[in-house]
Amino acid sequence: MRRLLILVTALALTLTGCGGLAEVSQKGGTADRTPVTIELWSFFTGREKGVVDRAVAGFHRKYPWITVKHVGGQNDDTMIQAVRAADPPDIELGQVTEAVPSYCSSGAWQDLGPYLRRDHVDTGQFPAATAGYTTGGGKRCAMPMLADTYGLYYNKALLAKAGFTHPPRTWEELTRMAERLTVRNPDGSIKVAGFVPFLDFYENNAQTVTAGWNLDWYAPDGTSALAHDPHWRQMLHWQRKLIDFYGYRDLQRFVTGVGKEFSSQNAFDTGRLAISVDGEWRSSFIAAEHSGLDYGTAPLPNTEPAHYGSGYLAGTTVGIPKGAHHPQAAWLLAHYLATDTSAQVSMARGLHNVPTTKAALASPRVHDDPAFDTFLDIAANPRSVSVPGTPAATAPKEAVTGFIQKWQSGAVPDLAAGLRGAARQVDGQIHQAKEGTAP
């Protein structure tokens, strides 16, 4: 991801030093229905690309003069390189949520404000949390297409055996449950973990627990809030207490010995982990590979009882790159993928992701699995959040993760000082990105 930041900052310099990157056509919009072919780039491949292709086919039926060539298997690096080389596609689907605000501020993706105002598009139809990763530099250069939301998966049989009748709603309750649910082998090693508190294990990380701990990532002036928001210290002290219960070495041996997250040997799926942080897609893995698993889903615990039910959102975004040859037609496709209820629902069902319009979230067609409904409710919760993006793209997240890895291993003797150092690192990354030089 460091390479992505270098590309974004280099692109910012390129864009500020040149004029238009390509001759722009006004053809293909509703005002000029000249037949055009536009190119869509996405990261989807195989079956998942086919799901998006079906949605694109629906778009073509609505706008028959626009033909879409969908090129899958791309990533944010290749997209940025194409913009920098003045040969971009007409429309892009991004998967690195934290990077999108840097595309807005650098101009890599065009400001969609004029289109939104012209066509009277109500951005209030999107969950409020998505604004944090579709805007930047005072501009909205993207719209959400689908989302990932995060909650708890819990093994009902293991909880019942330990005397629990419901998932944890507070972090203190999670601690008690994790301790009682943990089973050790005769040699003291962990056989079944109640919960893994490492903030770099599977989907358990600082981003996904943001809502549960009410973490502020940035102050109003845009600087890092790590050293000033007491919730960070509260979270990390809680984490350390649970790590100490397990023993760092024993916990490390456990996580290195269980299956990879996206394998059929995932620790939760195989009954070696009683409670796990994960996204909505996990239920499809369980259905395909461990259909006999008796499990439930729930929001993450929360420090504020009134906030329980909220969560963290990230996801796929759609934008029109700088230099797109057919921006009017591209806008119609972007608008369709982001707001058409039928397209949203069909893609959500096919990709097992959460839709990102309130109408699609409420559709009965996506409410066919109680385990999945939890994540629809989290996405619709007005208190759900995303982590605001910065011009430094993914670098701040990586800096925070690096610091937490040191902390959880016991290599940070002074938490307050460590947080101040991490905050300075994040602020330096943001400053350098704004100046157009990569750290």
Side-chain angles (χ1 to χ4, degrees):
M1 294 303 180
R2 174 184 170 87
R3 183 166 177 270
L4 175 61
L5 174 59
I6 293 172
L7 283 170
V8 169
T9 51
L11 177 64
L13 291 175
T14 302
L15 294 179
T16 55
C18 68
L21 296 180
E23 183 179 350
V24 175
S25 169
Q26 298 301 311
K27 297 177 180 179
T30 53
D32 181 347
R33 301 187 179 190
T34 302
V36 296
T37 296
I38 62 174
E39 195 163 286
L40 163 68
W41 280 14
S42 82
F43 53 91
F44 293 108
T45 59
R47 183 196 67 81
E48 292 186 328
K49 180 178 178 294
V51 172
V52 178
D53 285 339
R54 288 192 289 275
V56 169
F59 168 80
H60 182 64
R61 288 191 293 272
K62 185 174 182 179
Y63 301 99
W65 65 91
I66 304 174
T67 300
V68 180
K69 177 185 177 183
H70 181 189
V71 180
Q74 304 299 311
N75 58 42
D76 285 63
D77 276 352
T78 59
M79 294 177 188
I80 290 298
Q81 288 172 330
V83 174
R84 193 178 179 195
D87 189 26
D90 294 289
I91 183 170
E92 297 175 341
L93 303 184
Q95 68 176 142
V96 183
T97 303
E98 301 92 336
V100 174
S102 68
Y103 303 163
C104 296
S105 57
S106 70
W109 280 10
Q110 298 181 30
D111 182 6
L112 299 182
Y115 296 105
L116 293 164
R117 290 188 293 271
R118 184 195 68 190
D119 294 346
H120 307 289
V121 178
D122 178 16
T123 57
Q125 67 187 294
F126 307 126
T130 64
Y133 62 82
T134 54
T135 60
K139 301 175 182 178
R140 174 183 282 278
C141 72
M143 291 188 291
M145 194 185 86
L146 293 173
D148 290 324
T149 61
Y150 298 82
L152 289 184
Y153 282 73
Y154 60 96
N155 187 308
K156 290 183 177 180
L158 293 179
L159 263 66
K161 185 177 179 180
F164 298 112
T165 58
H166 59 82
R169 296 174 66 93
T170 67
W171 296 103
E172 293 78 11
E173 190 175 15
L174 176 56
T175 299
R176 293 193 298 272
M177 295 176 71
E179 292 176 353
R180 194 186 303 179
L181 287 162
T182 296
V183 179
R184 292 184 182 266
N185 293 306
D187 64 358
S189 61
I190 302 168
K191 181 179 181 180
V192 176
F195 180 79
V196 173
F198 285 165
L199 286 171
D200 57 355
F201 176 72
Y202 289 179
E203 298 299 324
N204 189 32
N205 55 59
Q207 295 78 34
T208 55
V209 302
T210 293
W213 284 99
N214 291 289
L215 302 176
D216 284 332
W217 283 70
Y218 302 102
D221 64 358
T223 59
S224 173
L226 286 172
H228 306 295
D229 178 8
H231 295 112
W232 284 96
R233 295 189 294 277
Q234 182 183 2
M235 177 192 73
L236 292 171
H237 280 307
W238 171 88
Q239 181 210 25
R240 187 63 170 271
K241 181 179 178 181
L242 192 51
I243 290 173
D244 289 345
F245 162 77
Y246 285 107
Y248 177 79
R249 291 184 183 277
D250 285 346
L251 197 58
Q252 190 66 34
R253 280 195 290 268
F254 175 81
V255 301
T256 56
V258 297
K260 300 296 184 183
E261 178 181 357
F262 293 105
S263 76
S264 62
Q265 296 304 303
N266 176 285
F268 179 80
D269 297 0
T270 56
R272 296 201 63 193
L273 179 62
I275 302 174
S276 181
V277 177
D278 218 325
E280 75 285 340
W281 63 84
R282 175 57 46 192
S283 59
S284 65
F285 281 81
I286 294 172
E289 299 170 345
H290 299 276
S291 58
L293 183 65
D294 185 15
Y295 75 98
T297 59
L300 266 69
N302 203 291
T303 57
E304 298 290 339
H307 293 187
Y308 181 75
S310 63
Y312 168 77
L313 274 69
T316 304
T317 53
V318 55
I320 302 172
K322 178 77 172 180
H325 290 275
H326 302 290
Q328 298 296 327
W331 161 249
L332 293 178
L333 178 57
H335 183 236
Y336 178 85
L337 293 174
T339 66
D340 185 88
T341 300
S342 179
Q344 280 271 308
V345 169
S346 67
M347 289 190 295
R349 287 174 60 87
L351 298 171
H352 213 73
N353 289 148
V354 171
T356 41
T357 66
K358 294 175 182 178
L361 283 168
S363 171
R365 292 179 57 205
V366 295
H367 287 270
D368 57 359
D369 178 0
F372 190 74
D373 286 353
T374 296
F375 299 95
L376 298 172
D377 293 340
I378 292 170
N381 190 303
R383 294 188 184 274
S384 289
V385 300
S386 62
V387 174
T390 75
T394 60
K397 177 185 73 173
E398 294 164 6
V400 171
T401 299
F403 167 73
I404 290 175
Q405 287 171 335
K406 293 178 181 178
W407 161 256
Q408 66 192 23
S409 72
V412 180
D414 186 333
L415 178 57
L419 285 169
R420 288 195 295 271
R424 286 193 297 271
Q425 183 180 357
V426 169
D427 289 342
Q429 290 168 334
I430 295 172
H431 175 73
Q432 288 176 309
K434 286 181 177 178
E435 294 295 314
T437 57

